[in-house]
Amino acid sequence: MKYTTECNERSQLHIEDYLCDDRVEPERSMGVQSSSFTSSKGQNDGSEYAGSLLDKILDRDNMNGAYKRVKSNKGSHGIDGMTVDELLQFLKENGDQIRQSIREGTYKPKPVRRVEIPKPGGGKRLLGIPTVLDRVVQQAAAQVLSPIFEKQFSEWSYGFRPGRDAKQAVLKCKEYRIFKLNQSITGWVNYFGMADMKGIAAKLDGWIRRRIRMCYWKQWKKISTKHKNLV
């Protein structure tokens, strides 16, 4: 029993270290072995994570889909000068070597090309453009990892998620505000609709009349003639 617990803890630590790595290929690694989660309450059973994530990323169909996505997005070249139109021939000639270097952990992404884009209101926005090959590798990894992590995001999260943007977040806030306002108005309308309005109006009328009489009585009790005004 103790041995099983230790194995589970080591497996969990290995998975957390792997998921925290923001690169496709970890340094000093010779490939990524398949990992599974312990089946228990509050944890995944690992069935949908069976097999190696790296194998899924380097799958030929997945890589082809990543290339088509980069091709459709077009975009400028990176620091190496390779354009999107030149990428297909390069992948045909070097695709197997690229996949093998990623699997062995020897693939090194190139630095991004710094570009300054003028802002409409003045100033410039700095933008880093990766090479087209690095964009294909990044897209291939995103296609496999995004469906896994998307399930863990909150329904109200809109930042850097596929199919969502800041404008949708603002619209959702407005909808929520209107929804809460409608709830409040409906609650008050229902309250006055179900309450004994005749009795409430009579009590309110009596309370107002008593307050008015008290104000008059206080004025009548005051002495209108002061001592210094007496002859």
Side-chain angles (χ1 to χ4, degrees), residues 138-155:
Q138 293 171 4
Q139 180 64 34
Q143 290 174 170
V144 174
L145 297 179
S146 293
I148 297 176
F149 291 101
E150 268 294 310
K151 300 177 182 179
Q152 303 178 15
F153 278 98
S154 170
E155 180 185 356

Side-chain angles (χ1 to χ4, degrees), residues 26-63:
E27 292 185 358
R28 307 184 188 88
S29 66
M30 300 299 293
V32 179
Q33 298 179 356
S34 61
S35 58
S36 60
F37 291 91
T38 303
S39 179
S40 59
K41 184 177 181 181
Q43 296 182 345
N44 296 315
D45 58 2
S47 58
E48 59 180 317
Y49 300 104
S52 172
L53 289 176
L54 192 56
D55 289 338
K56 295 179 181 179
I57 292 173
L58 299 179
D59 180 74
R60 189 173 297 273
D61 293 337
N62 184 59
M63 296 293 290

Side-chain angles (χ1 to χ4, degrees), residues 84-101:
V84 177
D85 296 331
E86 301 170 347
L87 179 60
L88 180 59
Q89 185 63 31
F90 180 83
L91 291 177
K92 289 180 178 180
E93 298 175 357
N94 304 278
D96 294 335
Q97 292 85 346
I98 294 171
R99 280 194 294 271
Q100 186 63 26
S101 64

